[in-house]
Amino acid sequence: MHDDHDAHSHDHDHAHGHDHDNHYSDMQARVKALETLLTEKGLIDPAAIDAIVETYETKVGPRNGAHVVAKAWSDADFADWLKRDATAAIASLGYTGRQGEHMRAVFNTTETHNLVVCTLCSCYPWSVLGLPPVWYKAPAYRSRAVIDPRGVLAEFGLTLPEDKKIRVWDSTAELRYLVIPERPEGTEGMDEQALAGLVSRDAMIGTAVAASPESTP
């Protein structure tokens, strides 16, 4: 068993972020105060900001990446294209632009599990995964994922066989990664839309695996 990282791959520490009602961090308080000030001056429209956030959380969010994964599972030619040129393959589905200009798809196999992190900041492929989760940006995840990826995954509730290698990929401003999880058993007769419903954001980061058909409503 090997837990690897190379020039384009790193492990980061994982820490879950929890939101608390009526409590803001210093940065959140400053952002809130700035938003209030700009709104009062008529320089921004809160509704427009909410619409942008909603777009990245849902429409531009993980559903896009799930579509990419589902197509790779069901279309061997597309999967091959995704391996050779993920940027072009993903763009062919209409997913490109902000924070997703240069992409690489890494495929989980029976021998290897992939995990994505950004050790320097929080580089993340918005075009296919939407807004990054709080824990992805946390210093704990960014540091420990490189040092102890197996332990980090266990904290997410994912315990992998000891003989399965874990490869950690470090995202940069120039290159972002998308994990293609293994296709679950018992999905042979499912269409792309149904397959996409098995793919979570965390599975495309590598902190989870795709759901089984039995575990979904």
Side-chain angles (χ1 to χ4, degrees), residues 44-204:
I44 63 171
D45 179 1
I49 293 177
D50 290 343
I52 292 172
V53 171
E54 173 68 13
T55 294
Y56 275 101
E57 288 182 339
T58 58
K59 298 176 184 177
V60 180
R63 289 188 299 178
N64 294 353
H67 180 199
V68 174
V69 173
K71 189 167 183 63
W73 284 347
S74 56
D75 185 335
D77 289 338
F78 181 79
D80 183 63
W81 187 12
L82 196 59
K83 291 176 182 178
R84 292 183 287 105
D85 188 349
T87 303
I90 292 171
S92 75
L93 300 180
Y95 310 138
T96 186
R98 185 176 177 82
Q99 309 298 331
E101 296 88 345
H102 304 288
M103 296 290 302
R104 177 173 179 180
V106 289
F107 288 67
N108 286 351
T109 68
T110 55
E111 293 82 21
T112 302
H113 181 88
N114 296 285
L115 177 64
V116 180
V117 70
C118 179
T119 52
L120 294 180
C121 51
S122 57
C123 295
Y124 191 80
W126 289 25
S127 58
V128 287
L129 293 186
L131 297 174
V134 173
W135 53 261
Y136 184 84
K137 299 180 287 185
Y141 176 78
R142 289 161 45 206
S143 59
R144 283 188 51 227
V146 175
I147 300 169
D148 181 25
R150 195 171 295 274
V152 166
L153 292 178
E155 291 178 21
F156 275 100
L158 178 59
T159 301
L160 299 174
E162 287 297 323
D163 60 351
K164 175 166 284 195
K165 181 172 67 175
I166 300 174
R167 174 162 288 179
V168 182
W169 302 89
D170 196 352
S171 291
T172 68
E174 290 76 32
L175 185 63
R176 316 289 168 99
Y177 295 90
L178 176 69
V179 174
I180 309 300
E182 290 183 86
R183 180 170 178 166
E185 295 182 359
T187 60
E188 292 75 14
M190 298 174 66
D191 60 20
E192 285 186 15
Q193 183 175 358
L195 288 171
L198 304 177
V199 185
S200 68
R201 176 201 64 197
D202 289 5
M204 295 180 283

